[in-house]
Amino acid sequence: MNDAAFFEVKNLKKYYPIKSGFFNKVSGFVKAVDGISFTIEKGKTMGLVGESGCGKTTVGKTILRLNSKTAGDVLYKGRELFELDAKEMRKLRPKMQIIFQDPYSSLSPRLPVGEIIGEAVREHKIVPEDEFDDYITRIMIACGLQEYHKDRYPHEFSGGQRQRICIARALALSPEFVVCDEPVSALDVSIQAQIINLLEDLQHQFNLAYLFISHDLSVVQHISDTVAVMYLGNIVEFSDRDEIFSNPLHPYTKALFSAIPIPDPTIRRNRIILQGSIPSPANPPKGCKFHTRCAYAMKKCETVEPVLRDLGNGHTVSCHLF
């Protein structure tokens, strides 16, 4: 198998029906994800960035089959996930995990940490019962926790420690692919750095592939190998990290990157302020979805939807300027 095709998404769509009236008739659709494609290599990280509400989390949940899909293909090692029956999918579940955004609500307050991390390990029979305790201890230590934390409950931990518990829970199933859904957005900056370094160490140790969803571009720049920029359900630009941060092409990408803070008070960055608010995914603009907020919009942008074009070195952009 070619590593480049380790995890592949082709023209994925996820629409939510809008129901109205006495009989709950479908009157429209919220186009949360509207035809996106990308590939993640084994042992690599793809960053997925964009404003809140652009569909990033929906992408993460849909490719793991936590949501149903409307159209498109999701291939894991060449197998279409949505064609697998329940028994086949259950066998595959441990290999694909997710770290949720909120470490507070994603942990059961009624279970001790050892049970939270070990519950799925026992269910999927990852290790023999007589090795269970030692295995959970090793996973906890690898994630920066201590053995005596097993008997404590989530409310006894700080935010950073809770996120470590979430990471340990995902890692305990020996996954190959992990969706990291804004795993540091609820944490202090100093704790963010610890969690990011932990994720990188675990990736090198276990050869994990990550889909790293975030709106914090400085974090994405640090951890990602490739970056996809998402706007209103579509990917508008994709490239490897160094190329996209040194040479952003799409007007939306330029606006996002202009907001990255520079840790030097003597350097002034020219902020690009987008006019207006993000349109509704239930009624997106015709043509280019970004044209209502774009300073470079042309007449063509109002009617013709741009397609992703490869401009060389794997740098693709969806814009009529190119």
Side-chain angles (χ1 to χ4, degrees):
M1 184 201 73
N2 183 358
D3 278 351
F6 175 71
F7 206 101
E8 196 170 3
V9 174
K10 297 179 181 177
N11 198 33
L12 180 66
K13 296 181 181 181
K14 174 59 182 174
Y15 296 171
Y16 293 97
I18 301 170
K19 296 183 179 181
S20 59
F22 184 76
F23 295 104
N24 268 343
K25 291 183 70 174
V26 175
S27 58
F29 292 93
V30 174
K31 299 179 178 180
V33 181
D34 195 18
I36 69 168
S37 303
F38 59 83
T39 299
I40 302 176
E41 297 179 27
K42 177 79 168 166
K44 301 292 186 180
T45 300
M46 189 188 97
L48 186 61
V49 303
E51 290 171 289
S52 295
C54 71
K56 304 186 299 295
T57 296
T58 304
V59 171
K61 289 183 176 180
T62 305
I63 66 176
L64 294 183
R65 259 187 70 170
L66 298 179
N67 288 337
S68 61
K69 68 173 182 178
T70 302
D73 300 307
V74 180
L75 304 173
Y76 173 66
K77 293 183 175 179
R79 300 174 73 188
E80 165 56 72
L81 292 183
F82 285 88
E83 291 178 356
L84 302 179
D85 60 31
K87 189 175 180 181
E88 291 175 309
M89 195 63 206
R90 179 183 166 82
K91 283 184 183 176
L92 212 53
R93 278 281 177 217
K95 297 300 179 186
M96 302 179 298
Q97 292 297 303
I98 184 169
I99 301 167
F100 292 101
Q101 178 176 355
D102 186 2
Y104 295 86
S105 61
S106 61
L107 299 174
S108 171
R110 295 181 175 85
L111 292 178
V113 166
E115 272 302 305
I116 289 172
I117 296 171
E119 188 177 24
V121 174
R122 191 177 277 122
E123 181 69 24
H124 288 280
K125 297 180 173 60
I126 302 297
V127 293
E129 191 62 36
D130 59 340
E131 298 176 19
F132 178 82
D133 280 341
D134 289 341
Y135 179 75
I136 298 303
T137 299
R138 288 201 308 272
I139 293 294
M140 290 177 68
I141 290 172
C143 294
L145 299 165
Q146 301 301 318
E147 184 175 7
Y148 63 82
H149 288 150
K150 279 183 186 177
D151 299 322
R152 294 188 178 180
Y153 289 81
H155 72 270
E156 300 178 67
F157 293 88
S158 68
Q161 288 175 313
R162 290 188 199 196
Q163 198 59 283
R164 289 175 187 273
I165 295 167
C166 294
I167 293 170
R169 178 176 59 184
L171 192 69
L173 295 170
S174 299
E176 296 177 334
F177 174 68
V178 182
V179 172
C180 304
D181 184 12
E182 304 201 29
V184 296
S185 64
L187 307 177
D188 292 339
V189 174
S190 59
I191 306 299
Q192 284 185 10
Q194 294 176 24
I195 297 299
I196 292 300
N197 290 335
L198 171 62
L199 288 170
E200 286 190 314
D201 291 342
L202 294 172
Q203 181 175 44
H204 296 316
Q205 189 176 345
F206 299 104
N207 199 28
L208 301 173
Y210 290 149
L211 172 64
F212 194 90
I213 298 168
S214 181
H215 56 254
D216 189 330
L217 292 162
S218 56
V219 172
V220 170
Q221 186 175 13
H222 180 76
I223 197 172
S224 300
D225 297 292
T226 57
V227 177
V229 180
M230 198 167 174
Y231 183 78
L232 213 61
N234 294 107
I235 290 177
V236 297
E237 188 165 358
F238 178 89
S239 186
D240 68 71
R241 175 192 59 194
D242 295 336
E243 168 69 17
I244 201 167
F245 276 92
S246 64
N247 184 32
L249 298 176
H250 198 281
Y252 178 64
T253 308
K254 291 179 179 179
L256 281 184
F257 287 9
S258 75
I260 302 175
I262 301 174
D264 186 342
T266 63
I267 298 177
R268 304 288 293 177
R269 173 175 273 157
N270 292 325
R271 280 291 309 275
I272 301 173
I273 307 297
L274 294 177
Q275 301 300 315
S277 56
I278 186 168
S280 168
N283 186 27
K286 289 183 170 59
C288 174
K289 292 179 180 178
F290 186 61
H291 83 263
T292 57
R293 306 171 72 192
C294 181
Y296 306 98
M298 303 173 285
K299 199 70 180 171
K300 181 181 183 181
C301 302
E302 298 175 13
T303 53
V304 181
E305 185 176 349
V307 295
L308 275 171
R309 287 188 170 84
D310 191 336
L311 303 182
N313 298 321
H315 194 156
T316 59
V317 63
S318 172
C319 181
H320 291 307
L321 291 174
F322 303 95

